[in-house]
Amino acid sequence: MTFDPVDFLTDAVPIDSTETVEPMREFLVGTLSDHGVEATVDDAGNIVATRGSGDPHVVLNTHIDTVPPHVPYERGPARDDEATGGEVIRGRGSCDAKGPLAALLSAFLAVDPDGGRVTLAVTPDEETLSTGAAALDLAADYYVVGEPTGLDVCNAAKGRFQGTITLGGENAHAAEPDDGVNAVSALREVVDALETFDGRSDAPGVHADLGGPTLTPTTVDGGTATNQIPAECEVVVDRRSVPPETSEGFRSAISAHLRDYVPDDVTVTFDLTDRESPFLEAFSTPADDPLVTTLAAAAGGEVRPFTAATEASYFAADAPTVVFGPGYLADEEGAVAHSDREYVPVDEVREAAEAVEATLDALRD
């Protein structure tokens, strides 16, 4: 039976994968079975299938969950606001990430595994906690992570950490402010600390591919009554990291930096947000790595960083890793992935499949 990635995508996009991935998982496992490949579903909900048994071992990874709400399927000529002159498939998951899945699946089924091994590993919760990807232990030589990159090969991405700064003071009547310690007032020093954090001598600095890290306060919560000196204030911060910074390194560094800025009579602590899985940390694969150069030559795209955090973070510490696929996170008109205008160019789905297949073949030579 011949596999057509566009036919697969036409069937996959109408399957709602927002609240549960089970129908999509059953469809994917069934498709693999129809093509003579038996897949397993592990305790973390990952779909894993392998062909061949030699070296090198290449893992093709992407995810089947999508963000809500579900957007209906449509197929037809591109509209004026869509970045292609050909046919597109619209709907939730068309580019993030069922389009990339269709391309990776096509290459997985088409390649001759003799002289190498290829594994398809599809995760269930990339859009939330990535517990599936965190549980994978595949010991591969290369990883290709499917996301919408417009056929560019993305060899690096920033990480994302989140945590809460907690300031502690002492309650008092607002009419007698000197009787208390105002935790909210210390926000002035916290903002100064955040703005100077990446200027310290041991900061990670500017990365050659990713640029500098960012540190952004996003929400503030403090006080319990309008006529009372607030004894507590919390500030949530978003960190977009670059190598070699780790989540633990960030936690330790910002804790010390804040203490240097916040007044001595205000307590200050910083805690990373509790997660069931590790944070997605920054990664960078050298631009001259064979995986990068081979896939870029096959796809005809650029080599550049990916602009969002991805599950590639979990694999890059073990082996060269790239992010690649058809479609766009955003185009000139605005957001594409996660938006109500999500679409993927049909030609790019086929081109991505052919490029990955050619790369698998070349890496075995």
Side-chain angles (χ1 to χ4, degrees):
M1 180 187 299
T2 301
F3 179 83
D4 185 291
V6 176
D7 288 347
F8 172 85
L9 188 58
T10 298
D11 292 332
V13 172
I15 299 173
D16 188 342
S17 306
T18 55
E19 301 300 324
T20 176
V21 298
E22 190 56 37
M24 184 62 203
R25 184 157 45 207
E26 291 178 357
F27 173 63
L28 177 55
V29 170
T31 299
L32 286 163
S33 180
D34 290 343
H35 289 80
V37 178
E38 294 305 313
T40 62
V41 178
D42 66 19
D43 291 342
N46 298 305
I47 303 163
V48 181
T50 298
R51 300 181 66 222
S53 59
D55 294 319
H57 180 198
V58 184
V59 170
L60 308 178
N61 160 260
T62 190
H63 60 96
I64 53 173
D65 60 317
T66 58
V67 298
H70 184 65
V71 177
Y73 163 85
E74 238 185 282
R75 180 173 177 177
R79 299 168 182 157
D80 291 342
D81 66 340
E82 294 169 337
T84 177
E87 188 179 25
V88 302
I89 289 176
R90 306 180 187 92
R92 179 64 75 232
S94 55
C95 77
D96 188 13
K98 293 175 182 178
L101 170 62
L104 295 182
L105 179 57
S106 179
F108 172 78
L109 293 172
V111 72
D112 181 354
D114 287 347
R117 177 169 39 140
V118 58
T119 294
L120 181 72
V122 182
T123 61
D125 62 343
E126 188 267 355
E127 301 289 3
T128 52
L129 291 176
S130 296
T131 56
L136 287 171
D137 184 12
L138 299 171
D141 298 294
Y142 301 104
Y143 291 87
V144 179
V145 177
E147 293 284 352
T149 69
L151 303 183
D152 290 341
V153 177
C154 296
N155 65 322
K158 290 183 179 181
R160 180 181 184 270
F161 313 144
Q162 179 179 299
T164 301
I165 302 165
T166 302
L167 301 167
E170 184 179 347
N171 286 138
H173 198 290
E176 301 290 343
D178 291 341
D179 291 343
V181 177
N182 194 322
V184 169
S185 291
L187 284 174
R188 289 172 294 190
E189 288 79 9
V190 167
V191 171
D192 288 343
L194 297 180
E195 290 179 345
T196 59
F197 180 67
D198 286 314
R200 67 193 198 283
S201 61
D202 60 342
V206 176
H207 187 271
D209 294 322
L210 296 169
T214 62
L215 180 58
T216 307
T218 56
T219 64
V220 176
D221 183 26
T224 56
T226 57
N227 60 350
Q228 183 184 54
I229 298 300
E232 186 170 283
C233 181
E234 293 184 341
V235 183
V236 175
V237 296
D238 177 282
R239 177 63 163 177
R240 303 297 165 130
S241 65
V242 301
E245 185 178 69
T246 64
S247 57
E248 178 53 32
F250 169 63
R251 186 205 62 77
S252 176
I254 194 172
S255 295
H257 191 70
L258 286 164
R259 185 64 278 172
D260 288 342
Y261 277 75
V262 172
D264 291 340
D265 59 349
V266 176
T267 63
V268 57
T269 60
F270 177 79
D271 296 296
L272 291 168
T273 302
D274 286 337
R275 285 174 56 99
E276 296 178 44
S277 57
F279 281 98
L280 299 172
E281 299 193 352
F283 82 92
S284 179
T285 297
D288 60 356
D289 185 89
L291 175 62
V292 179
T293 58
T294 303
L295 184 53
E302 299 179 0
V303 176
R304 63 170 176 85
F306 193 58
T307 56
T310 81
E311 292 180 337
S313 165
Y314 292 154
F315 314 130
D318 298 327
T321 300
V322 297
V323 181
F324 174 78
Y328 315 97
L329 292 177
D331 61 17
E332 291 184 358
E333 298 296 325
V336 177
H338 295 196
S339 79
D340 59 4
R341 58 186 291 267
E342 185 169 348
Y343 69 91
V344 67
V346 166
D347 287 346
E348 283 195 13
V349 176
R350 298 194 190 280
E351 291 168 13
E354 292 167 0
V356 175
E357 182 182 353
T359 299
L360 293 173
D361 284 333
L363 290 174
R364 292 200 309 270
D365 290 343

